[in-house]
Amino acid sequence: MCGIVGYIGTDEAFPLIIQSLEKLEYRGYDSAGVALLGSDIKVVKVVGGIDKLKNKILEGRVGIGHTRWATHGGVSERNAHPHLSCDGEIAVVHNGIIENWEELKEELRNHKFVSETDTEVVAHFLEERLGKGLSMEEALKELKSRLKGTYALVILKKGDDRIYALKKDSPLVLGILESGFMLASDIYAFSDKTNKAIFFEDGEHAIIRRNEYRFFDSENRVVEKRIENFSWSSGKEEIGNFEHYMLKEIHEEPNAVRRLLLSLRTDQREKLEALKKLMETKRKVMFVASGSSYFASLLGVYFLHRAGIESQTLIASEFHNYERVNGDTLVIPISQSGETMDVLDAVKLSKRKGAEIVSIVNVPHSSIQRESRFSLEIKAGQEVCVAATKTFINQVVLLMELASLFGYRAELDTLPQEIEHVIKSNEKTIRKLARRLKDKNDIYIIGRGVTYPVAREIALKLKEIAYIHAEGMMGGELKHGTLALIEEGVPVISLIPSKDDEVMSNVIEVESRGAMSIRISPESKEFKIPQTNSGKFAVFSVVLGQLLAYYIAKERGLPIDKPRNLAKSVTVK
Ligand code: G6P
């Protein structure tokens, strides 16, 4: 995935690049590096987080930086970006995957490659073309015509007071700062410095000087770009008194829901109504999403079906294998980041087939939002922890509100206070439970109907944060195999909206086989959960599941906000 940054202006570049990389660290945190332009190009790289770069100060007013999530080549200093040409005169940072890197590398066999990455070919390719007498502008055009795959690339050249940038299928944006310009993977990288930005479209490249920029379209013709005003978190998210962002973000849920409900009933009301209308006029309504957002979409399908509206959802990475979209389909991508490559691909495919796109995202101006006819925002604010918490809750709340336009009884007005109460009155109990579960190898979570997607989401949280194998499943499927794994002491968490829920029969089945049974229910003496409708019960159960994953991970001493091998924004396939 990776986060990339470039700065050119009148201020010292290094501290600005470091600040922005810190804000992009959620995109990847295997290794990091910076290159600054002086009389030479100077590079520093580290394995690990941006913190380790901070004492390696470089001087200069033009530079590029990178925070990596490894795809090609293991996690090592030599695979960290920026990558250099043989003569060290060209430095490149990249987000994406160059698919034809091996072919290009073969063509460049007279060059000395030092890394195992796909990216390094870019530096050598440009060096080769410059060596043949091409100008940098000409070499860039050739590069564009030869590269296959996905890329946001930011490039420096020794003795050349400019930054070069090009983009295809990976996000790239130019921030207009008072002191100069900043290129970055997303607006959050510089949202504390400006609210003005220019978004790159696929196939475009730009040449940025200290006081001017020029954009070129996919045919290399000069193109006039609009400067957009955006509003997004204006500072680095403060962790406050919380030990981790994850806990902070769970505690933010009541306010995030409050903010969203207000917005859906005021400034976003018209868009919500327009979405309703489209759903009524199109023959097919299809959600598409990945990870937690997919489980939110499953809940959306459930709420809508309850209200008599037919819809379906597909996991984005499998969309092309299962979709049957056409001009009469409304496709609703759900994505916190608005950048998930699998979702973006599904959106582009659907558009080619004539479908209408209305997205649900958290990050404004994100690629998925910009590909949509219009977009509803979940207003959760920046989420720093890799695992989705408040953004998941807000996705679900938005879908409940949407379903309620069709008659679903959501009763959301009191939800913020109720979530607050659920967190406060159960946190201690959950901590105790976490101690009982911390050494378990497997945890099963069972639900039916509205609680089935919740069981899946809780299992995902346990896997990604607590590193415990967990399976969230439909209670009815237990007897078709998984029951064979239930023996003395195996933890099974059952989500029971009311005492006569069907899932009770599964509870009896697992308890009679000696499972460590944990019943999450309004009837339970252990947990304090308000008696309410099943939709809100689903929300409360997720909150408890999030807290449980958090406290187990804490007991196990894990890096909660940045779990191993994961990244928040998955911009590769
Ligand atoms: C990653 C994140 C998950 C997220 C998923 C989909 O795997 O770690 O938390 O649910 O991507 O992301 P999106 O931004 O599309 O919601």
Side-chain angles (χ1 to χ4, degrees):
M1 274 65 78
C2 309
I4 62 174
V5 174
Y7 173 79
I8 179 161
T10 51
D11 283 347
E12 273 302 324
F14 190 78
L16 290 175
I17 291 172
I18 293 293
Q19 281 164 27
S20 296
L21 285 179
E22 278 183 318
K23 294 181 86 184
L24 292 182
E25 214 173 3
Y26 70 86
R27 303 177 68 89
Y29 34 81
D30 293 339
S31 56
V34 174
L36 278 221
L37 191 66
S39 51
D40 278 323
I41 291 182
K42 293 217 162 39
V43 178
V44 287
K45 298 183 186 191
V46 292
V47 169
I50 312 298
D51 251 12
K52 293 193 182 159
L53 270 180
K54 280 184 173 165
N55 56 359
K56 300 196 181 268
I57 302 163
L58 298 175
E59 286 184 2
R61 289 162 206 272
V62 185
I64 58 179
H66 189 271
T67 179
R68 179 168 188 246
W69 185 84
T71 53
H72 290 64
V75 178
S76 65
E77 209 168 293
R78 74 196 167 97
N79 286 338
H81 299 216
H83 291 291
L84 297 176
S85 52
C86 299
D87 58 11
E89 297 199 355
I90 293 170
V92 176
V93 290
H94 169 219
N95 171 32
I97 293 178
I98 309 292
E99 280 164 11
N100 58 338
W101 68 283
E102 278 167 315
E103 175 196 326
L104 294 172
K105 192 171 172 181
E106 178 56 28
E107 283 176 25
L108 296 161
R109 55 185 169 276
N110 55 327
H111 287 246
K112 190 168 178 292
F113 283 77
V114 295
S115 79
E116 304 147 337
T117 66
D118 52 330
T119 306
E120 197 184 342
V121 290
V122 173
H124 295 289
F125 183 97
L126 292 171
E127 178 180 40
E128 179 78 12
R129 296 313 183 270
L130 295 178
K132 290 195 166 129
L134 263 60
S135 67
M136 194 60 181
E137 283 88 338
E138 288 162 340
L140 268 188
K141 286 182 204 166
E142 229 190 279
L143 178 70
K144 259 169 90 171
S145 71
R146 291 298 311 282
L147 286 185
K148 294 204 175 89
T150 62
Y151 50 83
L153 284 160
V154 179
I155 302 166
L156 289 183
K157 180 180 171 295
K158 184 184 158 188
D160 185 347
D161 214 20
R162 295 180 284 188
I163 298 188
Y164 300 87
L166 47 158
K167 135 141 182 142
K168 183 177 155 278
D169 293 327
S170 294
L172 189 60
V173 56
L174 178 72
I176 318 286
L177 275 53
E178 264 178 32
S179 69
F181 299 104
M182 184 168 267
L183 288 144
S185 299
D186 67 39
I187 51 175
Y188 184 50
F190 48 67
S191 57
D192 53 340
K193 300 179 177 68
T194 180
N195 64 350
K196 288 187 172 47
I198 298 174
F199 294 86
F200 283 70
E201 298 302 329
D202 282 340
E204 287 183 347
H205 75 276
I207 302 176
I208 323 289
R209 294 171 191 270
R210 270 172 221 274
N211 49 11
E212 64 163 24
Y213 54 82
R214 284 186 109 185
F215 275 76
F216 302 84
D217 67 10
S218 52
E219 305 294 322
N220 301 316
R221 293 171 300 222
V222 174
V223 59
E224 285 305 316
K225 299 282 291 181
R226 209 178 58 214
I227 298 179
E228 314 245 9
N229 281 304
F230 64 86
S231 99
W232 192 231
S233 296
S234 57
K236 185 169 181 287
E237 305 311 301
E238 296 299 335
I239 198 158
N241 293 327
F242 293 96
E243 202 177 331
H244 298 97
Y245 280 104
M246 181 174 181
L247 191 61
K248 176 189 179 235
E249 287 161 359
I250 295 171
H251 279 263
E252 274 172 15
E253 285 167 355
N255 269 338
V257 171
R258 231 170 249 130
R259 186 164 58 234
L260 172 64
L261 287 174
L262 181 66
S263 160
L264 291 176
R265 291 161 187 187
T266 53
D267 54 303
Q268 294 203 91
R269 185 72 195 178
E270 235 170 76
K271 283 195 285 180
L272 196 64
E273 297 278 359
L275 173 56
K276 177 179 183 249
K277 203 169 245 161
L278 270 175
M279 289 171 73
E280 285 163 340
T281 48
K282 294 287 177 182
R283 277 193 60 183
K284 206 155 46 176
V285 176
M286 187 175 255
F287 292 98
V288 58
S290 301
S292 294
S293 300
Y294 171 71
F295 300 132
S297 75
L298 270 179
L299 281 166
V301 170
Y302 177 88
F303 300 139
L304 287 166
H305 277 223
R306 288 274 126 173
I309 300 298
E310 193 156 334
S311 63
Q312 47 184 299
T313 180
L314 280 177
I315 284 263
S317 57
E318 286 294 328
F319 188 81
H320 58 291
N321 291 325
Y322 290 95
E323 59 77 26
R324 300 283 297 157
V325 304
N326 56 33
D328 217 2
T329 311
L330 171 65
V331 172
I332 309 178
I334 304 185
S335 172
Q336 183 283 128
S337 61
E339 298 294 349
T340 302
M341 176 69 81
D342 289 328
V343 184
L344 195 54
D345 278 357
V347 166
K348 289 180 179 168
L349 173 66
S350 304
K351 281 175 84 170
R352 283 199 297 278
K353 294 182 122 190
E356 195 87 74
I357 312 290
V358 177
S359 56
I360 297 176
V361 302
N362 189 38
V363 180
H365 301 280
S366 50
S367 303
I368 291 169
Q369 180 171 90
R370 288 184 302 113
E371 288 286 342
S372 313
R373 172 158 159 198
F374 63 91
S375 183
L376 284 143
E377 291 174 9
I378 61 166
K379 305 280 174 195
Q382 183 74 25
E383 191 174 63
V384 177
C385 175
V386 163
T389 53
K390 60 176 178 170
T391 57
F392 176 82
I393 297 292
N394 272 22
Q395 288 169 341
V396 174
V397 170
L398 189 148
L399 292 163
M400 281 170 113
E401 180 80 347
L402 174 65
S404 66
L405 298 187
F406 294 98
Y408 177 76
R409 279 191 53 219
E411 298 163 337
L412 293 174
D413 293 355
T414 50
L415 185 61
Q417 308 79 288
E418 287 165 331
I419 297 178
E420 212 161 315
H421 170 75
V422 166
I423 296 175
K424 265 204 194 120
S425 52
N426 292 290
E427 213 164 347
K428 251 202 194 137
T429 313
I430 294 281
R431 291 179 85 147
K432 264 200 238 150
L433 180 60
R435 271 178 238 129
R436 281 170 64 206
L437 293 176
K438 73 175 182 5
D439 296 319
K440 297 287 181 187
N441 294 323
D442 311 280
I443 299 179
Y444 297 90
I445 305 103
I446 54 176
R448 284 181 184 245
V450 73
T451 55
Y452 160 64
V454 174
R456 300 277 311 268
E457 172 60 9
I458 295 176
L460 181 62
K461 290 282 115 28
L462 288 168
K463 285 186 277 195
E464 62 185 337
I465 301 302
Y467 303 168
I468 293 183
H469 167 252
E471 226 179 295
M473 57 181 305
M474 296 166 176
E477 288 301 291
L478 254 184
K479 56 185 177 291
H480 297 297
T482 311
L483 206 50
L485 300 172
I486 307 299
E487 53 185 358
E488 199 62 37
V490 172
V492 179
I493 301 174
S494 310
L495 308 174
I496 319 165
S498 67
K499 62 174 179 295
D500 52 358
D501 193 86
E502 280 181 306
V503 91
M504 272 313 291
S505 62
N506 304 117
V507 176
I508 312 287
E509 280 161 18
V510 298
E511 286 182 354
S512 58
R513 283 159 181 85
M516 180 203 275
S517 175
I518 298 139
R519 300 181 183 198
I520 295 190
S521 163
E523 319 293 332
S524 135
K525 293 208 173 60
E526 203 179 355
F527 302 104
K528 306 276 172 286
I529 301 174
Q531 287 279 1
T532 176
N533 63 49
S534 62
K536 287 205 280 186
F537 174 76
V539 172
F540 303 146
S541 306
V542 173
V543 175
L544 295 183
Q546 293 170 345
L547 285 170
L548 183 63
Y550 173 79
Y551 281 112
I552 296 178
K554 194 162 136 66
E555 286 291 328
R556 293 170 71 125
L558 298 174
I560 294 176
D561 289 328
K562 292 180 194 160
R564 69 180 170 217
N565 303 338
L566 302 180
K568 191 158 190 69
S569 174
V570 183
T571 57
V572 293
K573 284 197 212 177

